[in-house]
Amino acid sequence: GVVSVLGTTGRSPGSITIDSAGNIYTANIDDNNVSKITPAGVSSILGTTGDAPFAITIDSDGNIYTANTNSNNVSKITPAGVSSILGTTGSDPIGIAIDSNGNIYTANTQADNVSKITPAGVSSILGTTGTGPYGITVDSAGTVYVTNYSSNNVSKITSAGVSTILGSTGAGPIALALGSNGNVYVANY
């Protein structure tokens, strides 16, 4: 329970991820960039993003991806700090997830759908959601789960794009996690 400050970030860090070496990355919403903090506490800016990077994830090669809420796209930043736009999304992507094949998924909160972007940058709409999709995750079979903040439920979208409502939640679900038993756990804001 010992609390300490590891390092500094850009302005308004909205999400965080960590790589296999213990480096920490934050998506800085107001600065449109990603910070990197080493395990020793050395802080730097890794690269730039689109407008308002609200969510962040990382792949097995150490590439960073952000869902850019105001520019409706996903940025990719290599471990060397090279920034590019990987692909476009639906309106206001607020959540991001990656599958084992490197496909990126975003929860598009104003479009009530999920975008899929392949590693080659091909963008499509995977499926529809409830109202106000927020949190997103993907399982090993490529099934996507999304919390719907405004309709108080969870959507399930198969890898083939078949959308259903999995179940109801408490008020304002914003985050979710998958258990090893396949259960979906939701944090209700």
Side-chain angles (χ1 to χ4, degrees):
V2 176
V3 177
S4 62
V5 173
L6 179 63
T8 58
T9 67
R11 292 180 302 150
S12 303
S15 57
I16 190 169
T17 193
I18 189 168
D19 69 16
S20 59
N23 295 300
I24 294 171
Y25 304 89
T26 63
N28 306 314
I29 297 170
D30 287 344
D31 284 338
N32 300 328
N33 60 24
V34 169
S35 294
K36 176 182 178 180
I37 305 171
T38 68
V42 178
S43 302
S44 62
I45 298 301
L46 179 65
T48 58
T49 66
D51 192 12
F54 201 88
I56 191 170
T57 193
I58 189 169
D59 69 17
S60 58
D61 294 326
N63 296 300
I64 298 289
Y65 303 88
T66 61
N68 306 314
T69 304
N70 292 344
S71 55
N72 300 327
N73 57 25
V74 167
S75 294
K76 175 181 179 180
I77 305 173
T78 69
V82 177
S83 300
S84 62
I85 298 299
L86 178 65
T88 58
T89 66
S91 181
D92 291 351
I94 203 163
I96 194 168
I98 188 169
D99 69 16
S100 58
N101 295 319
N103 296 301
I104 299 291
Y105 303 89
T106 62
N108 306 314
T109 193
Q110 293 298 318
D112 297 336
N113 61 25
V114 167
S115 293
K116 176 181 178 181
I117 306 173
T118 69
V122 178
S123 301
S124 62
I125 298 300
L126 178 66
T128 59
T129 64
T131 309
Y134 204 102
I136 188 169
T137 193
V138 60
D139 69 15
S140 59
T143 303
V144 174
Y145 300 87
V146 181
T147 58
N148 301 307
Y149 181 84
S150 299
S151 56
N152 301 326
N153 54 27
V154 171
S155 292
K156 176 181 177 180
I157 307 173
T158 68
S159 59
V162 177
S163 302
T164 58
I165 297 298
L166 180 64
S168 298
T169 66
I174 61 169
L176 75 165
L178 295 177
S180 58
N181 57 3
N183 289 334
V184 176
Y185 299 90
V186 177
N188 304 304
Y189 183 74

